[in-house]
């Protein structure tokens, strides 16, 4: 006898993460506590992605309620999909409010799920939330709870790194240096998959060479160690990253790695090196304010509000400028580009609806973006635009995101092997010996 459909109760964090979550539970039923609707009402105004998600979900409910009463079970997408309803907070036995001692919305949501579980005794009722604390509280009340995993990476520990080592014979390395490329099957074993724009360290004893799989020639081309705007890569992986940034055939690049590995510096230096190929260089990073205060709470215009959050970008530009003397034209050129807004810091919140043509767009700290936000950025790209995203997937500052659910991890997992995309993970810290010591031992 088949098991009856499960009932998934969604909290506000799931809706703000993915407004289409209702339709991602296959044949199972979905319930929304009425408290979630109250919280969504407070998020419907504004220009950020969570405001967009709130508005889109409210529109979905409006369409569903045209011919249905939301308190009754109603079909979502025909017989193949489950049903949907809105549930009220239980009044008879306020278990969560009594146990946790406060009338927080989280506890009202939990109470609604507990009440539904008492009524649906023949089915599994599961609370779905991006809020870890709420999931723990639910389990403490003997209610099943789980994370929303529709756009979640299953095995983040083995996320695509973009690079690997190959043991080859000495003659292969010699041919790579002499001819500039070698056949893929000459360098790689039969079991090695062909991945577009993948980088290789070819080794034989003390001899080595750097190469990448060219998607058009289907050969391994040699990668030369070259600098960009005064910045020279210090190791093989930095050489790979800078090669990807400077490769005109690759319009989308991601660079990941822990602090001090040179992600942002290489991206900015590569962008400046290509300044003549683009109309403008845009640099941005997500604004993750303290205490959930938005930019509007800070004094001044948009530029004044952004500056404290964008300071790491200015720090990296200062490092690039320090490679030259104050009288050098390269030093003056950076200041000139900033003044003329050829090099322009932009708030990500204001890019929706825009189209970027012939722009080099560097997005730092991209691990703090949701998959929907990353999609929004990439779909802004017009002809001649290059997008470079950098970040550390293990250093998340945004509530409800983690290494498996952030937009940067999602992008790497979905686009690996695409001829328009290249990725490099940096492991070795190059900031300073002291920074490396702190990273390893503290």
């Amino acid at each position: 006898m088949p098991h009856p459909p499960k009932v998934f109760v969604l909290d506000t964090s799931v809706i703000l993460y993915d407004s289409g979550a209702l339709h991602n539970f296959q044949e199972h039923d979905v319930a929304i506590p009425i408290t979630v609707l109250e919280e969504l009402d407070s998020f419907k105004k504004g220009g950020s992605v969570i405001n967009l998600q709130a508005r889109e979900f409210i529109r979905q409910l409006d369409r569903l309620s045209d011919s249905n009463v939301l308190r009754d079970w109603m079909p979502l997408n025909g017989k193949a999909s489950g049903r949907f309803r809105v549930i009220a907070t239980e009044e008879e036995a306020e278990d969560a409010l009594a146990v946790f001692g406060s009338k927080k919305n989280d506890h009202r949501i939990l109470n609604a799920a507990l009440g539904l579980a008492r009524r649906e005794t023949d089915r599994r009722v599961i609370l779905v939330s991006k809020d870890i604390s709420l999931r723990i509280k639910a389990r403490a009340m003997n209610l099943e709870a789980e994370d929303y995993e529709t756009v979640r990476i299953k095995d983040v520990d083995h996320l695509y790194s973009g690079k690997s080592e190959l043991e080859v014979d000495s003659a292969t390395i010699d041919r790579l240096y002499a001819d500039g490329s070698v056949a893929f099957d000459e360098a790689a074993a039969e079991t090695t998959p062909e991945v577009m724009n993948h980088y290789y360290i070819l080794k034989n004893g003390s001899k080595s060479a750097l190469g990448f799989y060219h998607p058009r020639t289907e050969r391994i081309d040699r990668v030369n160690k070259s600098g960009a705007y005064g910045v020279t890569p210090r190791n093989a992986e930095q050489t790979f990253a800078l090669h990807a940034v400077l490769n005109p055939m690759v319009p989308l690049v991601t660079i990941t790695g822990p602090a001090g590995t040179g992600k942002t510096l290489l991206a900015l230096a590569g962008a400046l090196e290509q300044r003549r190929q683009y109309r403008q260089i845009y640099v941005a990073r997500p604004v993750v304010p303290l205490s959930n205060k938005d930019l509007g709470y800070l004094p001044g215009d948009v530029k004044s509000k952004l500056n404290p959050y964008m300071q790491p970008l200015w720090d990296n530009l200062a490092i690039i400028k320090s490679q030259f003397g104050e009288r050098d034209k390269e030093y003056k050129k950076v200041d000139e580009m900033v003044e003329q807004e050829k090099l322009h810091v932009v708030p990500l919140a204001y890019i929706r609806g825009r189209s970027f043509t012939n722009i080099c767009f560097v997005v730092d700290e991209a691990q703090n973006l949701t998959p929907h936000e990353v999609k929004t950025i990439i779909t802004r790209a017009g002809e001649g635009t290059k997008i470079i995203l950098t970040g550390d997937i293990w250093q998340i500052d945004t509530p409800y995101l983690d290494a498996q659910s952030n937009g940067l991890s999602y992008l790497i997992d979905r686009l690996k092997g695409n001829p328009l995309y290249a990725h490099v993970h940096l492991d070795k810290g190059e900031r300073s010996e002291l920074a490396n010591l702190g990273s390893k031992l503290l």
Side-chain angles (χ1 to χ4, degrees):
M1 183 176 177
H3 295 289
K6 303 172 187 175
V7 182
F8 291 98
V9 181
L10 310 188
D11 92 328
T12 314
S13 63
V14 174
I15 307 304
L16 296 180
Y17 181 78
D18 180 9
S19 61
L22 271 185
H23 306 284
N24 291 330
F25 292 89
Q26 300 172 343
E27 75 276 12
H28 303 292
D29 295 341
V30 179
I32 301 290
I34 200 164
T35 306
V36 170
L37 301 184
E38 294 173 10
E39 291 192 323
L40 289 175
D41 189 60
S42 66
F43 282 103
K44 66 184 181 184
K45 294 181 180 178
S48 71
V49 169
I50 60 172
N51 305 128
L52 171 77
Q53 301 278 29
R55 290 193 294 269
E56 179 57 33
F57 185 78
I58 291 168
R59 292 188 194 103
Q60 290 181 45
L61 291 195
D62 184 51
R63 290 192 292 269
L64 284 170
S65 63
D66 274 348
S67 56
N68 298 280
V69 178
L70 290 176
R71 293 286 293 274
D72 298 331
W73 287 112
M74 67 188 77
L76 279 172
N77 287 321
K79 295 180 180 179
S81 296
R83 300 173 301 164
F84 165 76
R85 64 165 291 193
V86 172
I87 54 175
T89 303
E90 289 292 294
E91 297 295 340
E92 295 114 23
E94 295 190 330
D95 299 329
L97 302 183
V99 170
F100 297 112
S102 67
K103 293 189 176 183
K104 291 174 62 176
N105 281 344
D106 280 358
H107 300 160
R108 298 180 188 277
I109 292 169
L110 182 52
N111 238 35
L114 287 167
L116 185 62
R118 280 194 291 268
R119 293 192 299 274
E120 302 280 354
T121 54
D122 59 333
R123 299 203 286 170
R124 290 175 61 192
V125 176
I126 303 168
L127 177 66
V128 182
S129 175
K130 302 294 295 177
D131 187 336
I132 298 174
S133 296
L134 184 56
R135 296 202 301 266
I136 292 172
K137 289 177 180 179
R139 291 166 190 150
M141 300 291 294
N142 294 319
L143 178 69
E144 287 188 69
E146 60 184 48
D147 194 1
Y148 180 66
E149 298 185 348
T150 297
V151 288
R152 190 174 175 85
I153 308 304
K154 299 298 182 186
D155 188 6
V156 72
D157 291 325
H158 296 92
L159 189 66
Y160 177 61
S161 69
K163 64 186 191 299
S164 54
E165 292 187 5
L166 293 176
E167 285 292 335
V168 299
D169 57 50
S170 180
T172 300
I173 294 177
D174 292 338
R175 275 192 294 277
L176 184 59
Y177 276 108
D179 302 335
S181 69
V182 294
F184 180 80
D185 54 8
E186 182 182 347
E190 291 183 4
T191 55
T192 304
E194 298 180 25
V195 181
M196 307 292 183
N197 297 312
H198 187 83
Y199 288 91
Y200 297 98
I201 302 174
L202 281 64
K203 284 190 170 184
N204 180 276
S206 60
K207 296 176 68 173
S208 66
L210 306 180
F212 85 108
Y213 184 83
H214 198 297
R216 292 193 175 181
T217 64
E218 297 184 351
R219 294 170 63 85
I220 294 180
D221 285 6
R222 183 185 169 197
V223 174
N224 296 310
K225 185 177 181 178
S226 58
Y229 214 83
V231 174
T232 303
R234 294 184 177 183
N235 54 50
E237 56 195 26
Q238 285 194 352
T239 301
F240 294 153
L242 194 53
H243 179 273
V245 170
L246 296 174
N247 189 344
M249 306 302 295
V250 180
L252 179 61
V253 176
T254 55
I255 307 172
T256 58
T261 51
K263 307 178 295 295
T264 309
L265 185 66
L266 292 167
L268 287 174
L272 288 170
E273 184 69 22
Q274 302 172 93
R275 62 194 180 280
R276 295 184 182 90
Q277 299 174 29
Y278 299 103
R279 183 169 52 85
Q280 279 181 298
I281 297 171
Y282 285 173
V283 291
R285 65 201 315 258
V287 174
V288 186
L290 295 175
S291 304
N292 295 319
K293 297 295 185 183
D294 205 349
L295 285 175
Y297 285 86
L298 296 175
D301 57 14
V302 171
K303 185 176 180 181
S304 301
K305 295 172 188 287
L306 277 176
N307 269 337
Y309 299 106
M310 302 301 159
Q311 191 57 48
L313 295 173
W314 298 118
D315 292 344
N316 278 281
L317 285 172
I319 293 172
I320 293 172
K321 288 168 60 180
S322 71
Q323 308 302 307
F324 308 98
E326 292 186 10
R327 295 185 178 181
D328 290 342
K329 62 179 182 180
E330 291 88 353
Y331 185 99
K332 296 177 181 177
K333 187 65 178 178
V334 175
D335 292 334
E336 181 183 313
M337 291 175 70
V338 173
E339 289 174 8
Q340 297 177 356
E341 294 193 346
K342 170 88 173 177
L343 176 63
H344 188 38
V345 174
V346 295
L348 287 176
Y350 300 154
I351 70 167
R352 182 171 302 282
R354 298 188 62 184
S355 181
F356 299 135
T357 303
N358 200 28
I359 297 290
C360 184
F361 196 175
V362 178
V363 182
D364 193 28
E365 300 290 340
Q367 78 279 2
N368 287 319
L369 298 171
T370 67
H372 191 278
E373 288 171 318
V374 167
K375 180 180 178 180
T376 299
I377 292 169
I378 293 173
T379 54
R380 300 303 96 207
E383 289 294 326
T385 289
K386 181 160 194 153
I387 298 176
I388 307 161
L389 297 101
T390 69
D392 178 5
I393 64 168
W394 299 106
Q395 187 177 331
I396 309 288
D397 302 312
T398 306
Y400 312 136
L401 290 183
D402 58 26
Q404 294 174 282
S405 62
N406 72 84
L408 185 57
S409 294
Y410 183 68
L411 174 66
I412 296 165
D413 187 67
R414 292 297 296 269
L415 291 190
K416 63 183 177 184
N418 191 290
L420 300 180
Y421 170 69
H423 168 68
V424 179
H425 177 73
L426 307 179
D427 291 300
K428 188 177 180 183
E430 296 288 358
R431 182 169 287 164
S432 69
E433 290 186 13
L434 179 59
N436 291 343
L437 178 68
S439 178
K440 290 179 181 178
L441 301 181
L442 299 180

